[in-house]
Every structure is written in C-alpha cells, then in structure tokens.
Amino acid sequence: MTIDFEMLGWVSLNLAFILDSFYYVPQIFRNHRRQEKLDISVTMHFIILIGCVYDCIYGFARHMPWQYQMTALNCVIPILIQYHQLWRSNDNPFLFMRLHWIFTLSLTMIIILMMFTSQPDSIAIALGYIVQFCWLTFLIPQIIKNHSLGHTQSLSNQTFSMMFFISFLDCVNAWHLGYDLSVRYGSIIFMLLECVLIGQILYYRYYPN
C-alpha cells in the first residue's frame, strides 16, 4: 500500500481551512466575558494583525490554493474584533494610534510596490518571509507576559489547542504541496513555540502558584 503524499497534503489543507473558520471564536468570547481584565499582549496582537493582512496579499499574489486564500481572509475578521476589544480595555489610546499609523503606512507602501514594480513575484516572496517572521515571533510577547503575570487567565485553552492542530495540518500540507521554503520551515518552528505557550496554559491552570 502506497501513500499518496499529495492527497495527504490536500486533505490536511481542507481540514485546516475548516478549523481556521472558527478556531479564534472561543478567544473572542473569553475576551468579551473578561472585558476590562484582558491580559493579552498588544504587541502579540499587532504582529498577528500584520501577519494576517500580509498573508492575504501573499496568498493572492502567489496564486496559492483557494483554501489558503480563504483561510487568510478568515483570520482577519476575528483579529479585527479583538483589536476593538483590546482598544476598549486599554488605558493607552496613543499606543493604538501609533500602531494604527505604522500598520497603515506599511500596508500602503506594500500595495504601491506590488502595483508599480516590474517583479511583483519577488515582492510577494519577500512578503511571504515577512509573514513567516510574524508567525514565528507573535507568541513570544505573550509568553513573556504570561511569565511576568504568573497566569494565563485571558487565553482560551480551546483556541490555542486548535491553533496547534491547525499548525500541524499546515506543516503537512506545506511540505507535501510544495509551498515556499519560508512556509515549510516556518510551520515547524511555529509548532515548537505553540508547545511552549500551551505548556504555560496547562502549568498555570493546573499548578497555580
């Protein structure tokens, strides 16, 4: 019996697409319940926002499978909802204003480059590396914040558990469907960082100080 690795890649891609449609919903509801007690790292959220939006551009520019493109689009909506939740609970509106302008200016610059450059594929590939850098670093500020707070009460166990499973699926389809190297190696490192975060969630929930 031989294994069709390409078929395995497509199956994992479709499963990831389905889970990506709702995996962040538990975190949104947890934020709503806690309201003024959100301990989510603003830096982590900002990096996620950049990663999701840039991933949309990358997916369409590189003509990735439609499941990849829709997954990137699905990611943006809950992140924008969380942006509003964090903005309401944060006591430093100037921080959000600065981040908003940084995001807007960088996005405008990338769109202009994509429209007027003679090599849009090169820009798209570079954008792919920026996206993977975002995915490889966005958990680090939250891991550091969890350690300083000594708890993970603001984080949804369901969301980050599903995120780990989605990352595993992403790793499978990245390697078996011939994605760019940035996506393939990035998916492995991302899984390792998620293991650290999930370990923190389990430790602080079941072995509180």
Side-chain angles (χ1 to χ4, degrees), residues 89-107:
S89 65
N90 195 279
D91 57 359
N92 188 0
F94 294 105
L95 173 62
F96 276 82
M97 186 178 298
R98 289 194 297 269
L99 294 178
H100 173 77
W101 279 110
I102 292 171
F103 171 74
T104 303
L105 290 173
S106 63
L107 180 61

Side-chain angles (χ1 to χ4, degrees), residues 6-122:
E6 184 175 357
M7 179 61 68
L8 181 63
W10 282 109
V11 170
S12 64
L13 177 62
N14 283 285
L15 284 175
F17 166 68
I18 295 171
L19 291 176
D20 265 315
S21 300
F22 61 84
Y23 83 96
Y24 215 81
V25 173
Q27 183 64 58
I28 297 299
F29 278 103
R30 190 174 186 88
N31 295 345
H32 179 70
R33 288 196 303 268
R34 292 182 65 84
Q35 293 184 358
E36 302 300 324
K37 298 180 180 180
L38 295 183
D39 292 318
I40 295 175
S41 168
V42 175
T43 304
M44 178 190 77
H45 173 81
F46 182 64
I47 296 173
I48 294 175
L49 179 62
I50 291 178
C52 286
V53 173
Y54 287 9
D55 204 16
C56 287
I57 301 173
Y58 169 79
F60 284 96
R62 291 289 290 161
H63 306 290
M64 302 294 279
W66 69 266
Q67 296 95 329
Y68 185 104
Q69 297 170 347
M70 291 301 102
T71 294
L73 286 173
N74 286 339
C75 174
V76 174
I77 297 173
I79 294 305
L80 290 177
I81 295 174
Q82 181 168 270
Y83 181 91
H84 178 70
Q85 291 174 327
L86 288 174
W87 174 74
R88 290 185 59 188
S89 65
N90 195 279
D91 57 359
N92 188 0
F94 294 105
L95 173 62
F96 276 82
M97 186 178 298
R98 289 194 297 269
L99 294 178
H100 173 77
W101 279 110
I102 292 171
F103 171 74
T104 303
L105 290 173
S106 63
L107 180 61
T108 302
M109 182 183 67
I110 287 174
I111 292 175
I112 291 173
L113 286 173
M114 294 288 291
M115 291 176 61
F116 295 103
T117 185
S118 59
Q119 294 181 320
D121 277 349
S122 299

